[in-house]
């Protein structure tokens, strides 16, 4: 019912390509997050879904219907704008009522629907205020209520939390998810905040420069990034990535050789891959006297519950190690050796940046994981 | 001081310190500044108000009192009869009605057409939009006097000479109004249009329910400007009418002066009567007008 699909959708503004050949499906009642850096085309994708912009090419489906060329009001979608776009001259009640009025819903029914929507977001006591007399969080609720009052098939939200302070954002995040479950509707949610994406999304679609990079559940995006862009974009602090040369017994990094299984290495050589980017998340690195790669500790950042040990490899590349605060910290300036469980290594093609799923060190490597799942 | 002004560079260097002086500014200085400002504003208000006051005073004096030197600034025995004379002998009732009709037509069309034109320029995309808008702006540079002969010719050819239509026609659409309101409309958040589209409102209903209510100060300002310029017209009504019955009040005043050459007080009374509608208009629109004039200066 509330299924949404993009098929090869491209949007150009003059010469600039805002969305490039986007194909993705959102299932009914799914909470899909569109995540990506500023200017990557998230808003444009959402606006095409709403009917506010028409795609240059490709088709868009809502429900089981192709909606290209269909007017926004006939698409049965509601949108929450980043700016909220409330009508400043109308009271909260009038704002929420506005979409019903255009649809000529009888006034008694209208009243009931408006009250219900207001109750769903906790606005009952503010109904006669004007938007100018509300706090940011309250305005955001009005925008939500105005969207849910129509009971649309699909909700579109464009960074609806970005104008709230950090504390309110955490609270509203949870409320939004609750609301979505309760209303059992599909949500397409745009954000550039990866924490929002990880916590809210059933799946995350990551975009960069108009192109879809990966679409997967949050855990998978984190555990198995499809390419270097996703690997570096998701995670805080970001994944460490170092380029290594493929040698006979593994991958040569500055200061040491990370062992690789002969099968993997052979496969790489067969494909003519001479260089790979090795990625490892800061929390998967350990300081260990028997470690493989030497590094000098430059700065230690303590966050209370954890600590970031910032090191430099022999050639100056930065590596971040995330430690629990109960681990004994190294001293600044000390040279340590770093190691990790081979299962935690990610390999990427140095040329294309694509993930290489060849298995790194025998049966424990990521390839085995994939085969088992 | 003299040295500083002789050396401009040192003077500019000195200016770079106002921050410290404002911080250290004693409270008295703020007050002194305020007093100075109010004194200046009062003076300007008096200068503007003086001729109006004199007109009222003169309308209540006897003709020979007006000519007397030194002039009197207060009528000790106000002669209200000048007003009834002006009204009846000057046919001001008829002229005021004509002015009201012509002004009403002009204001209604100018404001209405400006609203739709401004809407198009602010919210719609269409070919040659920029060029067209430039053309609109360019018309602001042409003084009306330049087009007056052509306009008269057109009006005559349209058989509209000596009619209300002819009086109003050249002013029904103005580039100024479209320009003014476009600026007002552009101040509105762009998302509102999109939100309204999703809420099911097309152009017309978006215009009437969202744009017009939100741009009221700008529209009110345009209404007042349109009213003032239409009401105060002199040259065009004189040219385009030959008939006494169609003359507007400003022309009527001219005749009154010519007629009552020995009774200046009657002319003054007529002038005061002609100004009353404008005065009422300003009272009604004052709040909106001030907001309209400052709109855009202070956001939010
Ligand atoms: N109306 C437009 N005309 C021209 N270019 C546009 C238009 N709208 C968007 N773009 C361009 O398309 C690209 C994608 O814009 P979009 O607004 O979709 O980005 P976004 O991912 O939403 O970014 P942000 O996180 O900053 O909101 C940008 O490079 C932008 O400059
Ligand atoms: Mg955006």
């Amino acid at each position: 019912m509330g299924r949404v699909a993009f098929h090869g959708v491209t949007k150009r503004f003059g010469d600039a390509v805002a969305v490039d050949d986007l194909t993705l499906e959102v299932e009914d009642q799914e909470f899909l997050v569109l995540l990506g850096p500023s200017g990557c085309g998230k808003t444009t994708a959402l606006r095409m879904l709403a009917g506010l912009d028409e795609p240059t090419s490709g088709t868009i489906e809502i429900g089981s219907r192709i909606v290209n060329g269909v007017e926004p009001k006939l698409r049965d979608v509601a949108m929450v704008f980043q700016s909220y776009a409330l009508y400043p001259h109308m009271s909260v009640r009038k704002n929420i009522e506005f979409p019903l009025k255009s649809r000529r819903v009888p006034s008694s029914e209208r009243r009931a629907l408006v009250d219900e929507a207001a109750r769903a977001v906790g606005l009952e006591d503010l109904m006669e205020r004007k938007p100018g007399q509300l706090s940011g969080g309250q305005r955001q609720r009005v925008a939500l209520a105005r969207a849910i009052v129509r009971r649309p098939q699909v909700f579109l939200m464009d960074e609806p939390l970005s104008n709230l302070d950090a504390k309110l954002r955490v609270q509203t995040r949870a409320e939004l998810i609750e609301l979505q479950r309760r209303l059992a509707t599909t949500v397409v949610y745009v954000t550039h905040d990866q924490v929002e994406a990880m916590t809210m999304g059933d799946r995350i679609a990551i975009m960069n420069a108009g192109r879809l990079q990966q679409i997967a559940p949050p855990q998978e995006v984190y555990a198995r990034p499809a390419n270097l862009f996703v690997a570096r974009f998701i995670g805080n602090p970001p994944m460490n990535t170092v380029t290594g040369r493929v040698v006979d017994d593994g991958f040569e990094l500055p200061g040491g050789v990370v062992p690789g299984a002969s099968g993997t290495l052979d496969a790489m050589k067969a494909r003519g891959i001479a260089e790979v980017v090795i990625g490892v998340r800061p929390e998967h690195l350990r300081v260990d006297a028997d470690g493989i790669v030497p590094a000098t500790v430059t700065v230690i950042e303590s966050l209370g519950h954890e600590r970031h040990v910032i090191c430099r490899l022999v050639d100056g590349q930065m590596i971040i190690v995330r430690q629990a605060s109960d681990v004994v910290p190294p001293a600044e300036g000390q040279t340590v050796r770093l190691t990790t469980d081979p299962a935690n290594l990610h390999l990427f093609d140095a040329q294309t940046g694509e993930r290489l799923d060849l298995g790194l060190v025998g049966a424990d490597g990521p390839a085995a994981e994939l085969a088992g799942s | 001081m003299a040295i500083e002004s002789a050396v401009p560079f040192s003077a500019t260097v000195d200016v770079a310190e106002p921050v410290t002086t404002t911080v250290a500014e004693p409270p008295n200085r703020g007050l002194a500044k305020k007093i100075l400002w109010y004194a200046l504003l009062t003076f300007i208000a008096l200068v503007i108000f003086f001729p109006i006051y004199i007109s009222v005073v003169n309308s209540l004096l006897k003709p020979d009192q007006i000519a007397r030197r030194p002039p009197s600034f207060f009528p000790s025995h106000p002669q209200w009869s000048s007003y009834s004379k002006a009204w009846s002998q000057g046919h001001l009732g008829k002229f005021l009605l004509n002015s009201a009709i012509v002004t009403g037509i002009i204001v209604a069309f100018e404001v209405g057409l400006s609203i739709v034109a401004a809407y198009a320029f602010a919210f719609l995309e269409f070919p040659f939009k920029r060029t067209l808008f430039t053309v609109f702006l360019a018309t602001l540079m042409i003084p009306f006097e330049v087009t007056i002969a052509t306009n008269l010719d057109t009006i005559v050819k349209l058989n509209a000479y000596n009619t209300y239509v002819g009086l109003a026609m050249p002013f029904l659409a103005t580039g100024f109004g479209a320009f003014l309101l476009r600026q007002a409309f552009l101040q509105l958040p762009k998302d509102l249009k999109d939100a309204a589209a999703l809420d099911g409102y097309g152009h017309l209903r978006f215009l009437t329910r969202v744009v017009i209510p939100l741009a009221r100060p700008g529209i009110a300002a345009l209404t007042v400007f349109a009213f003032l310029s239409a009401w105060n017209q002199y040259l065009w009504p004189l040219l385009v009418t030959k008939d006494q019955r169609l003359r507007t009040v400003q022309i009527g005043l001219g005749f009154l002066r010519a007629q009552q050459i020995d009774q200046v007080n009657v002319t003054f009374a007529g002038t005061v009567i002609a100004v009353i509608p404008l005065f009422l208009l300003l009272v009604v629109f004052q709040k909106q007008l001030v907001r309209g004039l400052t709109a855009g200066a202070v956001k939010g």
Side-chain angles (χ1 to χ4, degrees), chain A residues 299-340:
Chain A
V299 178
I300 295 181
E301 295 176 348
S302 186
L303 279 76
H305 63 294
E306 65 180 39
R307 159 185 336 119
H308 300 165
V309 181
I310 298 162
C311 316
R312 300 256 174 213
L313 296 183
V314 289
D315 67 343
Q317 288 192 70
M318 196 170 79
I319 296 285
I320 302 177
V321 182
R322 190 162 138 196
Q323 289 184 328
S325 51
D326 54 0
V327 176
V328 182
E332 288 187 8
Q334 185 188 347
T335 297
V336 296
R337 300 190 80 83
L338 302 176
T339 190
T340 186

Side-chain angles (χ1 to χ4, degrees), chain A residues 199-336:
Chain A
T199 53
M200 298 177 84
D202 291 325
R203 282 190 304 161
I204 304 178
I206 297 158
M207 293 180 67
N208 184 34
R211 295 188 142 268
L212 181 63
Q213 305 291 315
Q214 183 172 13
I215 175 163
Q219 262 321 303
E220 189 180 331
V221 166
Y222 190 80
R224 300 181 44 76
N227 57 35
L228 269 178
F229 175 81
V230 177
R232 289 174 179 150
F233 191 73
I234 300 279
N236 188 23
M239 182 185 280
N240 298 299
T241 51
V242 181
T243 308
R245 227 154 41 80
V246 180
V247 293
D248 285 342
D249 51 350
F251 308 102
E252 187 184 6
L253 299 188
V257 173
V258 177
S262 58
T264 309
L265 295 168
D266 290 345
M268 287 194 174
K269 281 175 192 146
R271 280 170 55 178
I273 298 170
E275 267 192 343
V276 291
V277 175
I278 296 180
V280 56
R281 296 221 175 263
E283 61 268 36
H284 293 146
L285 276 176
R286 284 193 319 276
V287 174
D288 189 326
D290 301 328
I292 304 158
V293 181
T296 308
V297 177
T298 55
V299 178
I300 295 181
E301 295 176 348
S302 186
L303 279 76
H305 63 294
E306 65 180 39
R307 159 185 336 119
H308 300 165
V309 181
I310 298 162
C311 316
R312 300 256 174 213
L313 296 183
V314 289
D315 67 343
Q317 288 192 70
M318 196 170 79
I319 296 285
I320 302 177
V321 182
R322 190 162 138 196
Q323 289 184 328
S325 51
D326 54 0
V327 176
V328 182
E332 288 187 8
Q334 185 188 347
T335 297
V336 296

